[in-house]
Amino acid sequence: DALVLPGVGAFKDGMAGLEKLGLITIWEQEVQPELLSPAQEAAQPPVLNDEQQAAFDGLCRQMQSQKPGAALLYGVTGSGKTAVYIRLIYEALKAGKSAILLVPEISLTPQLLEKLSAHFGQAVAVLHSSLRISERFAQWRRIQSGQARVVVGTRSAVFAPVQSPGLFILDEEQEHTYKSENSPRYHAREIARYRGAKAGALVLLGSATPSVETMYHAKCGDLALYTLKERFNRQAMPRVELVDLKQELRQGNAGIVSAALEERLRDTVIRGDQAILFLNRRGNSRCLVCVDCGDAPSCPRCSVYLTYHSVTNRLMCHYCGYSEPVTERCSHCGGALRPVGAGTQKVEEELRYEFPDTGILRMDADTVTAANSHEAILERFRRKEASILVGTQMVAKGLDFASVTLAGVLDADLSLYVNHYRAAETTFSLVTQLVGRSGRGADTGTAVIQTMCPEHPVLKLAAAQDYDGFYDMEIALRELRNVPPFRDLFTVTFTGLFEEHVRAAAKRFRDALAMNLRQSPYAGMEFDLLGPAPAAIAKVNYTYRYRATLSCKNTKEVRALLRFLLGAFAKDKQNKGVSAFVDVNAYD
């Protein structure tokens, strides 16, 4: 006879009967996803050197004051800022407070989580966008209930509902990822300072290359400034070599890796050390270009060329996701298509050809799509399953591997000539941070920076790790151009499906804004009003974008005026089908 199992209803009835007889006890318990691996052994509070101790003592006194305010911890790469963070978190917990530590990239959370869990155990919670909804909710509940008093995460973790916040830390505070470019548009630094002021908590900004605005406010006395001038292990900064790619071309080397960098890579692999190579462009090539007519396949939805991905043999748009298979011939004249530029996929292919017996890992948006895939890549690199790690800006900051003795910037010019006032700052920060990944262990590191412009002052200062020299040069240019920190830039963006409608609506808004700025209480206020003009990427996913830019001081009156004009814009029937929003000091 077949075995008949009782249904769910019969099972519940049976359990209820046993409970009535007092034989069992039934209760409900929420299932908690396991995100943190328990530490093998509890870690002791880190021992600080003299420089770290001086900074810690000052920050501790500031944190215990009635109005702690904000502070900047400016320390060279490898100076041990994380150790200072951990000691401050100990002090916050000792005072019955909670702490939030923000990092700019999800890829930085695994190493940091491992350290924090060793120090604070189950009191640590993690929040970032790669978590599943159930995992985020479970972490949120732990934080809200007070079970987790130390939160580590990316930008949105600044809103974590910690009990009695006493410390907010933004590591690598200069990073653009702390600024949300989607609604709601906020900067984690400003939210942290607002929450800190409300809760009486210390807001600590840490970086080896602070943003120009933050350093300016620190020098003006708006922020307390603490400095770490030497590496924690007293090790010398990496030796840096600038390689002229024009000379490489003259010598017949049209590859991505210069002869000097290839030689350094071979020496590194032979010694059993590791190397990190940085190129801030994913895919195989920037685009495919016809050798006869010069045409390049472009996205039908956006005003950008399609990027060639050799792994899938497809052309992809990195803005809307459109893709199409690669064709051998130009659709206009039938000419042959050739790749132009290089991305991380092409670098990986070239390295595998030059180093066939060497383990190579690639870390970019194409390889970290699955949950926890960035952790798996970094864990494999930590176990030395690969000698070379190639990646985008995910690998340029925050990573701490003692066996990495070589860092390479494959194209330092990519971000240097972008049409944005932060181009020099972004380039200096990325190059400096990547150079700082090398030589963090017992051996002195080496870095190679490849560029077409080896005499450019920004690159020379980055090679010398001279942030103070860069700041002095950049702050003078910022003042001359009337951009932050001397003025704020209000960017009004107009979007719609029909370009003529968008342009006309943007012009009406600009005219209304100009008329109001000539009247009281704005008369006499220094300002510049530019545009409207097409955005740098004029069309994204069939939507046209125009922008007007107001350069002035960020005052309550200016914000009220823009809010009023946006309301009037939305009510005007002439603007039907066109949307408008304002962003302050945008990064795109």
Side-chain angles (χ1 to χ4, degrees):
D1 295 335
L3 177 64
V4 180
L5 296 175
V8 175
F11 178 79
K12 287 184 176 180
D13 291 341
M15 292 297 102
L18 292 174
E19 184 182 32
K20 287 180 180 179
L21 295 173
L23 298 176
I24 62 172
T25 302
I26 299 176
W27 71 93
E28 292 185 2
Q29 181 172 324
E30 183 178 348
V31 177
Q32 296 282 354
E34 186 63 43
L35 295 180
L36 295 177
S37 301
Q40 294 181 352
E41 58 179 298
Q44 297 299 315
V47 177
L48 306 181
N49 61 25
D50 293 341
E51 266 194 336
Q52 291 172 315
Q53 189 65 46
F56 168 74
D57 291 341
L59 287 165
C60 209
R61 287 192 296 270
Q62 188 173 344
M63 186 168 61
Q64 293 167 358
S65 64
Q66 189 172 1
K67 292 184 177 180
L72 169 63
L73 180 59
Y74 162 44
V76 299
T77 54
S79 58
K81 294 183 288 294
T82 304
V84 178
Y85 299 158
I86 292 173
R87 285 290 299 273
L88 286 170
I89 293 173
Y90 270 110
E91 292 299 315
L93 296 182
K94 190 187 299 182
K97 304 286 188 178
S98 299
I100 296 178
L101 199 166
L102 302 182
V103 292
E105 293 278 355
I106 295 173
S107 60
L108 301 183
T109 55
Q111 281 191 320
L112 198 55
L113 272 176
E114 186 177 347
K115 289 182 181 178
L116 292 178
S117 61
H119 285 280
F120 308 109
Q122 292 303 308
V124 179
V126 56
L127 287 174
H128 56 70
S129 58
S130 287
L131 299 179
R132 293 189 292 269
I133 293 178
S134 60
E135 293 173 332
R136 287 176 68 88
F137 178 68
Q139 295 294 298
W140 192 270
R141 289 282 298 274
R142 291 182 61 234
I143 298 166
Q144 190 178 46
S145 66
Q147 295 177 36
R149 296 169 59 200
V150 179
V151 178
V152 58
T154 49
R155 179 178 64 215
S156 60
V158 73
F159 296 105
V162 291
Q163 300 294 314
S164 303
L167 178 64
F168 293 87
I169 302 172
L170 275 77
D171 191 29
E172 308 295 356
E173 66 84 27
Q174 81 284 352
E175 288 300 324
H176 68 91
T177 49
Y178 284 126
K179 178 76 163 66
S180 171
E181 301 295 343
N182 299 315
S183 185
R185 293 172 178 83
Y186 67 92
H187 198 298
R189 180 174 57 223
E190 306 307 321
I191 300 298
R193 294 196 65 175
Y194 177 83
R195 291 194 66 185
K198 290 289 185 181
L202 173 65
V203 178
L204 178 58
L205 311 176
S207 178
T209 55
S211 64
V212 172
E213 297 95 317
T214 297
M215 181 56 78
Y216 175 80
H217 289 299
K219 288 181 178 291
C220 290
D222 300 329
L223 306 173
L225 177 60
Y226 303 89
T227 305
L228 303 176
K229 297 180 180 179
E230 295 183 353
R231 284 191 155 188
F232 175 75
N233 56 4
R234 305 290 183 182
Q235 182 62 275
M237 297 299 291
R239 298 184 298 268
V240 182
E241 178 182 355
L242 282 167
V243 175
D244 188 350
L245 291 179
K246 298 192 299 295
Q247 188 64 28
E248 290 288 317
L249 290 172
R250 293 188 191 105
Q251 295 173 356
N253 180 12
I256 308 162
V257 179
S258 64
L261 179 54
E262 183 177 336
E263 182 182 349
R264 302 287 183 277
L265 280 170
R266 291 193 187 280
D267 292 342
T268 301
V269 172
I270 290 171
R271 288 196 312 268
D273 292 337
Q274 293 178 294
I276 295 179
L277 303 183
F278 163 70
L279 178 64
N280 205 22
R281 178 186 286 139
R282 63 190 176 101
N284 180 281
S285 303
R286 185 177 65 188
C287 60
L288 296 181
V289 176
C290 175
V291 297
D292 291 335
C293 69
D295 186 65
S298 58
C299 177
R301 307 172 184 172
C302 310
S303 54
V304 296
Y305 295 122
L306 294 171
T307 301
Y308 172 50
H309 286 250
S310 58
V311 173
T312 57
N313 199 34
R314 296 184 71 86
L315 296 170
M316 291 186 61
C317 175
H318 290 172
Y319 287 87
C320 71
Y322 171 84
S323 72
E324 62 181 43
V326 172
T327 57
E328 294 184 0
R329 294 289 171 178
C330 173
S331 60
H332 290 86
C333 72
L337 294 174
R338 293 289 182 267
V340 173
T344 49
Q345 285 183 9
K346 192 170 185 178
V347 175
E348 183 184 18
E349 291 175 4
E350 185 172 313
L351 289 172
R352 290 192 185 281
Y353 177 79
E354 296 292 340
F355 301 90
D357 300 322
T358 302
I360 298 170
L361 291 171
R362 175 165 57 90
M363 189 170 180
D364 55 29
D366 297 320
T367 61
V368 297
T369 52
N372 302 323
S373 52
H374 58 280
E375 297 182 28
I377 293 173
L378 293 177
E379 179 60 23
R380 289 180 62 192
F381 192 65
R382 186 187 67 79
R383 293 199 304 260
K384 290 193 171 184
E385 294 180 17
S387 297
I388 303 174
L389 174 63
V390 181
T392 53
Q393 60 183 350
M394 296 179 183
V395 304
K397 46 190 174 283
L399 301 182
D400 187 0
F401 296 101
S403 57
V404 172
T405 57
L406 175 64
V409 181
L410 298 179
D411 190 348
D413 307 324
L414 268 181
S415 58
L416 188 56
Y417 297 103
V418 175
N419 185 22
H420 197 282
Y421 71 92
R422 286 194 176 96
E425 178 185 302
T426 300
T427 302
F428 180 88
S429 176
L430 282 172
V431 172
T432 303
Q433 294 285 345
L434 193 278
V435 169
R437 297 312 106 207
S438 175
R440 301 173 77 92
D443 298 325
T444 302
T446 303
V448 177
I449 302 173
Q450 299 183 169
T451 172
M452 289 286 187
C453 309
E455 297 303 316
H456 198 290
V458 170
L459 297 181
K460 293 180 75 173
L461 289 167
Q465 301 279 287
D466 185 4
Y467 174 82
D468 295 326
F470 168 76
Y471 172 82
D472 291 339
M473 178 186 72
E474 183 69 8
I475 198 68
L477 292 173
R478 295 282 185 97
E479 186 173 17
L480 185 66
R481 296 183 62 184
N482 283 324
V483 294
F486 299 98
R487 285 191 192 175
D488 292 287
L489 299 181
F490 293 86
T491 304
V492 190
T493 302
F494 307 87
T495 62
L497 297 178
F498 302 99
E499 186 174 11
E500 287 299 324
H501 291 177
V502 175
R503 185 189 297 116
K507 187 177 184 302
R508 284 192 294 272
F509 186 97
R510 190 276 315 273
D511 293 342
L513 178 57
M515 181 185 67
N516 279 274
L517 289 172
R518 288 192 292 268
Q519 301 174 5
S520 179
Y522 314 103
M525 181 184 73
E526 292 185 357
F527 72 90
D528 291 308
L529 183 56
L530 306 175
I537 308 298
K539 184 174 70 169
V540 175
N541 204 14
Y542 299 118
T543 303
Y544 290 92
R545 310 190 303 166
Y546 272 71
R547 285 178 171 171
T549 303
L550 173 63
S551 169
C552 65
K553 290 289 186 182
N554 186 350
T555 64
K556 183 179 180 181
E557 291 76 18
V558 171
R559 294 195 299 272
L561 172 60
L562 289 170
R563 183 168 59 248
F564 169 77
L565 291 177
L566 282 177
F569 180 91
K571 294 176 183 177
D572 190 343
K573 293 182 179 179
Q574 294 183 89
N575 302 324
K576 185 177 180 181
V578 180
S579 300
F581 64 85
V582 177
D583 201 358
V584 184
N585 299 331
Y587 281 75
D588 64 344

